[in-house]
Amino acid sequence: MLLIHNANLLSMTGAKSRPGFVMINQGEIKMVEAGDPPADLLQGDDVQVIDADGGWLMPGLIDAHCHVGLFDDGLTSEGEDGNEMTDPVTPHLLAIDGIYQDDVCFSEALAGGVTSVMTGPGSANVLAGSFALLHTAGRTVEAMAILEKAAMKAAFGENPKRVYGKKDKTPSTRMATAAVLRDALHKARDYRLDKGHKAADPQNSLSHDSRWESLLPVLSGDMLLKIHAHRTDDILTAIRVANEFGLRYTIDHCTEGYLIVDILEAEYRAGQAEGHGIGRPGRGRLEGVICGPLLTDRSKPELRRASIGNPGILAKAGIPVAIMTDHPVIPIQYLLLSAALACKAGMPMELALAAVTATAAKLCGVQDRLGSLESGKMADVVLFDKHPFDLFAKVALTVVKGSVMAVGQESGVST
């Protein structure tokens, strides 16, 4: 067992921060209480006791959209495995097959308090493949995996048209990008229908098609569709297509979301009704938006109206907002700094902290397992020597699945 006491608890459950302790056993949080732990816990022979020395304890940080492990740090083409730029429709690709688990950026994530990441293919393709939700510690991808198939990636805007337009292939326009996505979803729907018919008739067999098979959970709403969209027109097209097929989805980047916040709010609230996001035409379900990268320049036309105030404006409208690094665009260890700057630009502090913990967990589909300090949840926690939004705060301790992965050298934390 592991006992961390004398800590200021940021539980991310809506409760105010308070001094207290956390008890962890077999990879799970067993107790989160205010005040001092009972004396028998402090003196137990099987208890590893850590005195937080007044530091701030919170859930491990979650990057809800990045590409860590797929674009290996320090390498060029040899380490670039995040975009299969030979076909705009590759939904059958799995991030876990391209991730380099020994990428130094996983250890840098841990050092920055990031204990889990939603990582996957980039935005070169209209449908790029499945993202994986991973812990940032582990010797193999299987050991790191929380969800091997966590979400499907789709993309609108500049990237697909730039990649394929210069090859004189479709899509070279935004019209074609939307058409390619619709066509793929229709083919997957037809494949599902044929599969049902063939299953009812043992004399007939259906040829397996991994592309359309991989889209069946998206059509049913069992798998989230992560839609890359920056500009207002691309965001609105994403909403249009998602509603046509009744998809459950997030808008990732959502750079110009603040310009159409009223529309996004209306879509989010409408999608909360029963029967939305389970494949019924006209009933899409917007789960929320994942904003970022925030610490970047306006490197392409889609970003010309980027605003650091975007996450706060969307969050204040009641839309669930997570914050991403889009690593390697922004190094993953700066996830918390990104949230702090969003807070500085007007995002309420509780929502900014939730954007990299509780809300990020919700938009990754694991709010029942991660994102808050609560009994029964996975024991991913991080201890800072100061308030996490303090510029000089350092990670004193990182715990993943109940195992201490890193102890700060200068924090003064004692065991």
Side-chain angles (χ1 to χ4, degrees), residues 140-396:
T140 67
V141 173
E142 287 78 10
M144 299 163 77
I146 303 168
L147 294 172
E148 291 189 359
K149 299 178 183 178
M152 179 64 63
K153 174 69 179 294
F156 289 98
E158 290 181 40
N159 291 10
K161 59 179 283 187
R162 181 179 67 248
V163 169
Y164 291 97
K166 68 182 180 183
K167 299 177 182 179
D168 293 326
K169 293 179 64 177
T170 193
S172 64
T173 64
R174 282 178 162 83
M175 293 183 294
T177 298
V180 166
L181 179 57
R182 283 192 182 96
D183 183 59
L185 292 170
H186 277 299
K187 286 178 177 176
R189 184 184 281 175
D190 291 343
Y191 175 85
R192 181 176 63 184
L193 187 62
D194 287 346
K195 187 175 180 179
H197 289 161
K198 297 292 173 60
D201 184 358
Q203 300 302 314
N204 294 316
S205 60
L206 178 69
S207 297
H208 179 83
D209 191 315
S210 58
R211 291 198 300 171
W212 313 138
E213 189 75 33
S214 66
L215 286 174
L216 298 187
V218 176
L219 289 175
S220 66
D222 293 326
M223 178 180 280
L224 188 77
L225 185 66
K226 291 174 70 68
I227 306 178
H228 165 115
H230 285 282
R231 229 167 62 173
T232 54
D233 56 341
D234 294 321
I235 296 168
L236 294 171
T237 300
I239 292 170
R240 185 181 311 120
V241 174
N243 278 334
E244 287 174 19
F245 289 87
L247 306 180
R248 190 168 63 88
Y249 66 106
T250 58
I251 302 293
D252 291 34
H253 304 297
C254 204
T255 301
E256 294 187 358
Y258 69 98
L259 297 172
I260 51 171
V261 62
D262 55 328
I263 296 173
L264 287 166
E265 179 186 4
E267 288 295 328
Y268 170 70
R269 298 196 184 284
Q272 301 308 296
E274 186 177 353
H276 285 247
I278 56 173
R280 296 183 181 179
R283 297 184 181 184
R285 181 184 176 95
L286 174 61
E287 296 283 8
V289 300
I290 303 174
C291 293
L294 301 181
L295 307 179
T296 185
D297 64 348
R298 296 177 177 88
S299 57
K300 57 181 182 176
E302 288 179 334
L303 304 181
R304 67 186 178 87
R305 294 196 285 186
S307 169
I308 193 71
N310 184 43
I313 292 170
L314 295 170
K316 286 178 180 177
I319 302 165
V321 175
I323 289 173
M324 64 155 101
T325 63
D326 204 23
H327 178 97
V329 179
I330 302 300
I332 196 164
Q333 61 266 35
Y334 300 130
L335 176 64
L336 190 63
L337 177 60
S338 300
L341 291 178
C343 181
K344 183 179 179 181
M347 192 174 191
M349 183 178 291
E350 181 73 16
L351 295 179
L353 287 168
V356 291
T357 55
T359 306
K362 170 181 168 59
L363 299 187
C364 292
V366 288
Q367 64 269 33
D368 59 332
R369 288 192 269 175
L370 295 171
S372 60
L373 299 181
E374 294 182 87
S375 178
K377 288 200 171 181
M378 197 176 291
D380 291 1
V381 302
V382 58
L383 176 68
F384 293 89
D385 63 349
K386 297 178 177 65
H387 189 280
F389 279 174
D390 188 314
L391 178 61
F392 295 99
K394 297 177 182 177
V395 173

Side-chain angles (χ1 to χ4, degrees), residues 105-117:
C105 295
F106 283 115
S107 61
E108 290 177 343
L110 273 178
V114 181
T115 56
S116 53
V117 292

